[in-house]
Amino acid sequence: GLASQFLQHLSKVYRYVLQNKDKNFVPLQTELDFIENYVFLLRTRFQQALVIKFDITEAGRERAIVPVTLQTLIENALKHNIADVERPLKIDVLTMGDYLLVSNNLQLRNRVETSNKQGLENLKSLYSFLTKKPVMVEQTDDRFAVKIPLL
């Protein structure tokens, strides 16, 4: 049933994190295969309150990113934004040239319990060791976007 499916996906998420946490980078395709398991867990929990769409070019799939980048960015969006059925949180993951763009509609929570801005800062410093291209964060009135340089 759903519970055993959930546990299967959860164990795959843990395995991926453990196997790759010491690697500098993984193919984007590897990260996408993993993130499907993570998204399954989120859909089980949030149902219609969360919509995640992927639009990744073939060329983009062959590039690399720092492992667990996508999970960090999706968690970040969920931590800072309201996600409910009346106001679904919509996260888009797409490739744009040499970048992976992860963006969401902005529905900021009044207070974020555990925010120390660490997730994004950690990503920025990790990528700064691997590429001259910066991680870019762009916020407008209604959208929040992070551009990750593909390696």
Side-chain angles (χ1 to χ4, degrees), residues 3 14 20 22 30 47 51 59-60 103 113 124 136 146:
Y14 274 112
N20 292 292
D22 299 324
T30 304
Q47 308 286 325
V51 180
S103 68
E113 305 296 314
K124 283 180 180 177
M136 291 182 277
V146 180

Side-chain angles (χ1 to χ4, degrees), residues 42 49 53 56 63 83 102 113 136 145 151:
L42 294 177
K53 286 195 190 136
I56 311 290
R63 303 288 287 274
V102 179
E113 305 296 314
M136 291 182 277
L151 306 170

Side-chain angles (χ1 to χ4, degrees), residues 15-142:
R15 194 177 321 137
Y16 179 83
V17 172
L18 291 172
Q19 279 172 350
N20 292 292
K21 69 177 173 26
D22 299 324
K23 291 182 189 165
N24 284 335
F25 49 85
V26 293
L28 179 55
Q29 183 61 56
T30 304
E31 175 95 351
L32 289 168
D33 292 341
F34 147 71
I35 211 72
E36 278 177 26
N37 293 299
Y38 181 62
V39 168
F40 176 90
L41 300 179
L42 294 177
R43 287 195 175 126
T44 307
R45 181 176 157 204
F46 288 97
Q47 308 286 325
Q48 282 81 31
L50 178 66
V51 180
I52 302 184
K53 286 195 190 136
F54 294 89
D55 185 6
I56 311 290
T57 59
E58 284 306 311
R61 289 170 194 275
E62 290 169 21
R63 303 288 287 274
I65 65 171
V66 172
V68 197
T69 293
L70 276 175
Q71 183 179 354
T72 303
L73 293 176
I74 291 170
E75 266 175 7
N76 193 53
L78 281 163
K79 189 164 70 174
H80 291 276
N81 293 279
I82 293 159
D84 60 34
V85 181
E86 285 74 44
R87 289 181 293 174
L89 180 63
K90 296 178 179 158
I91 302 175
D92 292 310
V93 181
L94 54 118
T95 39
M96 280 181 67
D98 289 331
Y99 284 88
L100 183 72
L101 178 69
V102 179
S103 68
N104 59 271
N105 53 332
L106 207 56
Q107 316 190 117
L108 287 175
R109 295 174 184 275
N110 295 337
R111 248 178 65 243
V112 175
E113 305 296 314
T114 53
S115 180
N116 46 14
K117 293 278 190 284
Q118 276 301 286
L120 278 178
E121 289 312 310
N122 286 348
L123 275 185
K124 283 180 180 177
S125 63
L126 278 172
Y127 277 90
S128 71
F129 286 111
L130 298 168
T131 174
K132 298 252 188 298
K133 294 184 181 145
V135 168
M136 291 182 277
V137 179
E138 296 163 4
Q139 186 171 328
T140 62
D141 290 341
D142 59 353

